[in-house]
Amino acid sequence: MNILLYSEILTLAPEDNHRLFNLCGKLNEHLKLIEKRLGVMIKQRGHTFSVSGDRKSVKHACDTLNNLYQETEKMPVLEPKEVHLYLQTIGKKQHYTQQDNCMEVRLKKGVITARGENQVRYLRSILQNDINFGIGPAGTGKTYIAVACALQALETERVSRIILVRPIVEAGEKLGFLPGDIAQKVHPYLKPLYDALYEMMGFEKVNQLIEKDIIELLPLAYMRGRSLNDSFIILDEGQNTTIEQMKMFLTRIGFNSKAVITGDITQIDLSNRHDSGLVHASDILKDIPGISFTQFQVSDVVRHPLVQTIVEAYKLHENNNRIKKF
């Protein structure tokens, strides 16, 4: 039986060969990614594209090509990850207008864009509330957006320092004694936060701010007894706090301070999962004004496309095991 494919012709304007190459990518890698993800065939001749497939997918592909071509006007290099991030937003329910569905954090070294409904909601919540929880799978941008908001608050002088906190919990491996001062000991645990800082601000600038204690690195246990004013505080890996530690952390927050707590409750490294302070806080604090919770889903993963597939496979396996037990 022959299946009739719907086809559409798209001509991009204005004609610009550099932008066209940027859109297509090296060896047409961007076009191949769009074809694979949307299940369409794309034929290109100059600035004219022929897109074939089912009607809905063709429309999505044409919109993608047109919108990404507009992005190339302000983006000197369109990377595969940008194409991937854009494709992540396709096909999801949109409760915002197209303009509202894309929010930006402007920094001195560039712009960080929140993509997709939950990232936009998360960014809005951080801007509007003093305490914010971002809960969900790895790769959804929880920590990255929190770091971007912290840097923006520092650069615009809304806060005088950034405090990065993480519970020191071994993830199933015995690390043994770690040499060096407190910053060097904590460094392996805070590496994801460092990576985001280096990307957004640069290696030398970040190290200068750490030396001046404008960016402070803290194991969670060292926060007891402190009161933190004029600070943007990020607690990463919040699922590995105990109930007592989470209470202690939340009660450290002082005047003109903002806190973001991130975590993935499917990756709790505590000996007893029921002791997680993040799980407990999400139960008892969810209705308090000024405290927001953003729940990310597997579909929000913005890393390599395989990460989303891996997370889905683990979730399916856990659900099947849960059903077998009953």
Side-chain angles (χ1 to χ4, degrees), residues 22-180:
N22 205 3
L23 171 68
C24 297
K26 295 178 182 177
L27 302 176
N28 288 336
E29 62 179 331
H30 297 162
L31 299 185
K32 291 174 183 175
L33 178 58
I34 295 169
E35 285 182 320
K36 183 178 180 181
R37 294 285 294 279
L38 297 181
V40 297
M41 290 189 301
I42 301 175
K43 294 181 180 179
Q44 178 223 347
R45 189 166 186 175
H47 287 72
T48 299
F49 294 78
S50 173
V51 184
S52 302
D54 71 76
R55 185 180 292 270
K56 187 176 180 181
S57 297
V58 168
K59 184 181 185 311
H60 285 324
C62 288
D63 288 345
T64 298
L65 290 169
N66 190 50
N67 291 335
L68 289 178
Y69 189 69
Q70 304 311 313
E71 289 287 318
T72 60
E73 185 176 8
K74 56 185 178 182
M75 193 177 294
V77 179
L78 184 66
E79 297 182 1
K81 69 176 183 179
E82 295 294 334
V83 180
H84 167 65
L85 288 173
Y86 181 87
L87 291 169
Q88 285 290 94
T89 66
I90 291 178
K92 297 179 182 178
K93 281 188 177 181
Q94 303 298 327
H95 298 294
Y96 307 120
T97 65
Q98 183 64 32
Q99 183 178 0
D100 287 338
N101 199 45
C102 183
M103 286 188 68
E104 297 178 338
V105 179
R106 295 194 171 275
L107 305 173
K108 289 179 180 178
K109 288 199 70 172
V111 176
I112 306 301
T113 304
R115 296 182 183 274
E117 186 177 320
N118 277 330
Q119 280 199 5
V120 170
R121 182 184 291 114
Y122 181 52
L123 177 52
R124 263 206 195 111
S125 295
I126 293 174
L127 296 176
Q128 294 172 358
N129 296 282
D130 289 336
I131 298 178
N132 302 272
F133 289 81
I135 303 173
T140 49
K142 306 182 298 293
T143 301
Y144 194 79
I145 289 176
V147 171
C149 290
L151 287 179
Q152 185 188 57
L154 184 65
E155 290 180 354
T156 56
E157 300 183 354
R158 291 204 301 272
V159 299
S160 59
R161 58 182 171 168
I162 296 172
I163 298 176
L164 307 177
V165 185
R166 217 176 186 198
I168 306 302
V169 178
E170 293 172 335
E173 306 90 355
K174 297 299 180 184
L175 300 178
F177 173 75
L178 295 174

Side-chain angles (χ1 to χ4, degrees), residues 233-293:
I233 313 154
I234 300 175
L235 171 60
D236 197 30
E237 297 291 318
Q239 77 275 8
N240 288 330
T241 63
T242 63
I243 294 172
E244 292 77 13
Q245 285 175 327
M246 180 62 77
K247 178 184 175 183
M248 181 270 291
F249 171 81
L250 293 173
T251 53
R252 298 307 94 202
I253 297 164
F255 293 105
N256 191 41
S257 287
K258 191 179 290 284
V260 179
I261 301 95
T262 68
D264 178 2
I265 59 175
T266 68
Q267 297 192 37
I268 297 173
D269 297 316
L270 300 173
S271 55
N272 187 345
R273 293 174 58 87
H274 298 292
D275 290 337
S276 172
L278 182 61
V279 175
H280 184 257
S282 63
D283 287 337
I284 68 171
L285 302 178
K286 59 186 177 182
D287 296 323
I288 297 179
I291 300 179
S292 76
F293 286 83

Side-chain angles (χ1 to χ4, degrees), residues 291-310:
I291 300 179
S292 76
F293 286 83
T294 303
Q295 181 67 56
F296 290 89
Q297 307 299 329
V298 175
S299 58
D300 295 314
V301 172
V302 292
R303 289 183 187 165
H304 189 288
L306 276 176
V307 173
Q308 182 174 332
T309 306
I310 291 167

